[in-house]
Every structure is written in C-alpha cells, then in structure tokens.
Amino acid sequence: MIHFGILDDHPLVVEGLLSLFKTNPEILAGWGTTTLADCEKKMLESPVDVLLLDIHLDQLDGIKLCRDFRMRFPALQILMLTSYAEPPLIKAAFQNGAAGYLLKNAGYREIQEAITTARSGRRYVQPQVQEILLSSSMGFGQTPRLAYIPTLTQREQEVLTLIVNEMTTQEIADKLFVTTKTVETHRTNLLQKLGARNVAGLVKIALEKGLV
Amino acid sequence: MIHFGILDDHPLVVEGLLSLFKTNPEILAGWGTTTLADCEKKMLESPVDVLLLDIHLDQLDGIKLCRDFRMRFPALQILMLTSYAEPPLIKAAFQNGAAGYLLKNAGYREIQEAITTARSGRRYVQPQVQEILLSSSMGFGQTPRLAYIPTLTQREQEVLTLIVNEMTTQEIADKLFVTTKTVETHRTNLLQKLGARNVAGLVKIALEKGLV
DNA sequence: TTGCTTCTCAGGGAAAACCCTGAATTTTCA
DNA sequence: TGAAAATTCAGGGTTTTCCCTGAGAAGCAA
C-alpha cells in the first residue's frame, strides 16, 4: 500500500486525483492540500511515501520546494506535476531530487505508474516527456535555453514580476526605492540567467516556467 | 438530472471532474473529452445540457469555440474553465455566450453550483471572479485592459508571434521582407489593440490568451 | 463608386532597453 | 569569521522601442 499526498493550488486537480485513486486498493491517497502551510502540517501529521507537487504554486517555486522537502524528508519521493513540458524545467526538477515529472495531461495509468515507480525508488519519466527531452537535445529550430533553471534572487524575482507587469525601469526603481542603474543591473542579470535576448524573452520564460 | 460534458486537454482535470460528480444523483456527467474532434462527435451522439469548456485549449481559442457552440447548439449552456482570471477574458467569455466563468481553483461546491445555475439558464459568477471584475473596473493600480479580444489581422498575428519569439523589429522586417517602419506600425497597432504598454504586455497577453 | 480595412512606408524625436566595465556595502552561510 | 552571494550604484555608450503625424496602394463590400 502506497500513501501519497498532493500539493496543488487547484482544488480541482487535488480532488480529482484523490477520487481517482479512491477505489484503488494498491494506492491510498493520504491527503490533498492546496497550500504549503497545510502541506507541511500534513507531512508531519501523517507522512506519505510519495508527494505529488505542483511546480507552479502561487508565489512559490516548486523546484526549490522539491529540494527543500527532499532534505527534510529523506524517505519522501516527489513527483513534479505541471502543465509545461519545458526541458529546462524537467532537468531542474531531476537535479533537485524529483523522482518523476508528470504533465497534467497525463492519463490515469501514467499517474499510477509514476507513483508506484517513485515508491520503489526509481525514476519515472513520462513517455511524452522523454520525447520532449530527446527532441530538445537535438535542438532543431528552437533557441537553446539554459539546461537548468537558475535560482533567482529575491530582488531579481521582484524585478522580474514588475517587468512582467509592464513596468519600465524607471517605474520599478521608484517602486523599490533604488536607482535605475540598480534595476538595470538586475535586468541584465535576469537576461543572462534566463537566457533571454530581451523583455519578450523574459516575460515568456517567466510565464512559461511559472516564475511569476 | 443534468447532463454535462467536458472539453479540456488535461485528462487529469477531465477525469477528476467526472469522478467528482459520479456519485451525485442530481448531476450526471455525460462524458469528458480532451480534443475538439471528440467533443463535437460526443455533442451529436449524446447531447448535454451544460458543457465545461477549457478556455485555453492547445492551438484553439476557447472563446471563439464557445460562440461557435452556442450557435450550433442553442440549448447548450457553456461554462468556461480556466486558470487565468483576466478581466478581459471574463468579459469576452460572457459576451460570447458563456453562462459562467470558473477558475480551475474552484472548489467542488462552486462547480456544482455553476452547473446547476447554468442549467437553469442563469449566469454563474464565481465570487472570486466577481471580486476581480470589480477591482479591475475600479481600476486601482492595474492597467485597464480592453473588454474584448480584438481580432488581429494576419500580419499582426505574424508580427506578434515573432515578437514573442524575441525577435527585434529589424529581424522581423528582414524575415517578412518589409521595412522596419512597417513592422513598427504593426507593433503600434498591436499595443493599441491589445491594450499593452510595451513588449512585456504584448507577450503576456499573447501567451495568456493563447494568441500565439 | 465609395467607403472600409489592411498593408505598406516615411520623418523625426523621445524614451526605454541593452551592453560593458568597475566597484562598494551588506547579507548569508559554511 | 571569512568567503561567497546579493544588492547597490555609476559612467558612457549603442540599439531598440515607442510616439506622432501623414499617406499611398490594394482588396473588398455595400
């Protein structure tokens, strides 16, 4: 019997997953939560073997969270759950201790297999994800992005969010009570870290990877 | 007894919704589909009272689809399902015949209420959405967006796509075999039509509304 | 035929973004 | 406590975007 927990800010997904496995004797859903606080509480109250973790939580970096959980709960296996099949995200997930990477368009069987595989300590890679990884490493057409998701600093995070909200350097500087030069530095670093050529790239990456 | 159908490209959401209402005697889920083709077939085979429609389907404009379905199936009530609470999207949905607008973070009760309300011919507005609409019309802080999704011309569409792909005006001009001045005109028109302040806004709107 | 939309192009100017180098101060953490 | 990371700021320059006005050509529909 496998106990698993869920952290996803969409109750729909949580409830759906829970009811999906309700009748399966092999897999027992321990609980589902929609906030980090709830999830942490639950983890302590009733530990699970496998945690399904949404990569794009409100205001939270799922990847970081994954690493964090892995350190705090060594026996815990984590399956990242996401809508985006971005190679950098996938790699970052695995580099940070994820046992699997599931697209939200995964079917019942795939989810089940992922959970059982993760439980047994092996990695599960969805066939679809595998394909994406392969095609991306061939690199036909698309701009090569960084192979991992760099960790943004607090400030960079803030600046990025404001950029995505269409604010100019001047406006951001005013809002953060710093000079425009400082904001420019952050912009430059963001471009570099995210491998973007300009604002368009920043916004695109930010939205796609759920960095904002 | 209410029959409802689902069209969402995430099997997880579809299966989740289906199983959520499996035990409810008042609401009967007719079917769930993940592709437009399947959905259309199902609509003819076994018509439903209410259709839950994902607003952001792969390559498809959910809003347009909504209008389309409304014309083809006059008795059908449609509930838009989405992750984004963008006021323009909400308004566009209602203007195109949607009976309700549900965020994917909606709870079981809200979904149930939305379905029954829609069935009875009334509109359902999630409290959370209502709040967003109000706060947006008050216009505190946020840039007011257009109340509808403007139709982009062929050329504008092309330019927008290239902008999202981080290309500069010069590069776009070269690619389309026109002068930079022409591309600038398209850019200006795009900003105007989409109600954006700069590239960041363009990219954001383009991605959120699935324009690219 | 007239009006509408789309697509094209231009001049000229202001604002914003991007690039490079260099550096001081504070925070964080091993 | 000491090194690394983060944050701050600057000069000075190039490129890109944004804004305004104006306009010709092509296609289409009433």
Side-chain angles (χ1 to χ4, degrees):
Chain A
M1 184 133 86
I2 304 175
H3 292 81
F4 80 94
I6 305 162
L7 172 55
D8 189 318
D9 52 359
H10 293 153
L12 202 57
V13 174
V14 173
E15 295 187 44
L17 274 167
L18 287 179
S19 59
L20 265 186
F21 292 101
K22 205 176 289 170
T23 52
N24 192 319
E26 221 180 296
I27 297 180
L28 180 76
W31 39 261
T33 53
T34 55
T35 66
L36 177 58
D38 276 358
C39 182
E40 287 179 320
K41 202 163 66 180
K42 282 288 187 184
M43 278 303 296
L44 298 173
E45 277 174 13
S46 74
V48 292
D49 307 305
V50 179
L51 178 65
L52 286 176
L53 183 59
D54 189 359
I55 217 165
H56 180 21
L57 293 159
D58 250 10
Q59 316 286 345
L60 287 173
D61 182 345
I63 303 271
K64 268 191 201 161
L65 210 56
C66 173
R67 188 175 44 196
D68 188 41
F69 271 140
R70 288 283 294 168
M71 302 220 272
R72 287 161 60 192
F73 310 100
L76 177 68
Q77 295 298 327
I78 294 180
L79 289 172
M80 299 305 296
L81 198 60
T82 169
S83 302
Y84 300 106
E86 292 285 321
L89 253 195
I90 301 170
K91 288 177 189 166
F94 285 120
Q95 280 170 5
N96 284 281
Y101 191 99
L102 276 175
L103 295 181
K104 281 192 181 166
N105 66 5
Y108 172 76
R109 282 202 188 72
E110 283 172 319
I111 298 174
Q112 181 172 19
E113 193 180 336
I115 292 176
T116 52
T117 305
R119 170 60 199 276
S120 74
R122 285 171 293 127
R123 277 190 177 168
Y124 175 79
V125 182
Q126 205 180 339
Q128 199 179 339
V129 172
Q130 187 68 60
E131 238 175 82
I132 292 164
L133 274 178
L134 286 175
S135 67
S136 86
S137 60
M138 302 312 245
F140 278 152
Q142 291 307 310
T143 310
R145 295 276 188 217
L146 293 180
Y148 59 99
I149 292 219
T151 315
L152 299 185
T153 67
Q154 182 67 41
R155 221 37 169 176
E156 285 164 353
Q157 183 73 55
E158 291 179 72
V159 172
L160 179 58
T161 303
L162 298 176
I163 289 174
V164 173
N165 285 327
E166 301 178 71
M167 291 178 73
T168 67
T169 297
Q170 181 64 61
E171 290 166 346
I172 295 171
D174 292 346
K175 181 156 186 115
L176 299 182
F177 301 107
V178 294
T179 65
T180 56
K181 274 299 179 184
T182 299
V183 177
E184 274 191 57
T185 302
H186 292 313
R187 292 188 86 118
T188 305
N189 292 336
L190 280 168
L191 288 175
Q192 232 260 298
K193 279 194 179 178
L194 299 180
R197 294 183 61 193
N198 49 38
V199 203
L202 284 186
V203 176
K204 191 182 173 192
I205 297 168
L207 291 179
E208 283 177 351
K209 301 197 178 3
L211 297 172
V212 293
Chain B
M1 184 133 89
I2 304 176
H3 293 81
F4 81 94
I6 304 163
L7 172 54
D8 189 316
D9 51 359
H10 293 153
L12 203 57
V13 173
V14 173
E15 295 188 44
L17 273 168
L18 288 179
S19 60
L20 265 187
F21 292 102
K22 207 178 287 173
T23 52
N24 191 318
E26 226 180 290
I27 297 181
L28 180 76
W31 40 261
T33 55
T34 56
T35 67
L36 177 56
D38 276 358
C39 182
E40 287 179 320
K41 202 164 68 178
K42 283 287 188 185
M43 277 303 295
L44 298 173
E45 277 175 13
S46 74
V48 292
D49 307 305
V50 179
L51 178 65
L52 286 177
L53 184 59
D54 189 359
I55 216 165
H56 184 23
L57 295 158
D58 248 11
Q59 315 288 345
L60 288 173
D61 181 344
I63 303 273
K64 273 189 196 159
L65 209 57
C66 174
R67 187 175 45 196
D68 189 41
F69 272 141
R70 289 283 294 166
M71 304 222 267
R72 288 160 61 191
F73 311 99
L76 178 67
Q77 295 297 328
I78 295 179
L79 289 173
M80 299 306 296
L81 198 60
T82 170
S83 302
Y84 300 108
E86 291 284 319
L89 255 195
I90 300 170
K91 288 178 190 166
F94 284 121
Q95 281 169 5
N96 284 281
Y101 191 99
L102 276 174
L103 295 180
K104 280 190 181 168
N105 67 5
Y108 172 77
R109 284 203 184 71
E110 284 172 318
I111 298 174
Q112 181 173 19
E113 193 179 336
I115 292 176
T116 51
T117 305
R119 169 61 198 275
S120 73
R122 285 171 292 127
R123 278 188 176 167
Y124 176 80
V125 181
Q126 203 179 339
Q128 199 179 341
V129 172
Q130 187 69 58
E131 236 174 81
I132 291 163
L133 273 180
L134 286 176
S135 69
S136 87
S137 62
M138 302 311 245
F140 278 152
Q142 291 307 311
T143 311
R145 295 279 188 212
L146 293 179
Y148 59 96
I149 296 201
T151 316
L152 299 185
T153 67
Q154 182 65 41
R155 219 41 168 173
E156 284 164 354
Q157 183 72 54
E158 291 179 71
V159 172
L160 179 58
T161 304
L162 298 176
I163 289 174
V164 173
N165 284 328
E166 307 183 271
M167 292 177 73
T168 67
T169 297
Q170 182 65 59
E171 290 166 347
I172 295 171
D174 290 346
K175 180 155 188 116
L176 299 182
F177 300 107
V178 294
T179 65
T180 56
K181 273 300 178 183
T182 300
V183 177
E184 274 191 55
T185 303
H186 291 314
R187 290 188 88 118
T188 306
N189 292 335
L190 281 168
L191 288 175
Q192 233 259 297
K193 278 194 181 180
L194 299 180
R197 292 182 63 194
N198 49 38
V199 202
L202 284 186
V203 176
K204 190 182 174 192
I205 297 169
L207 291 179
E208 283 177 349
K209 300 198 179 0
L211 264 41
V212 290

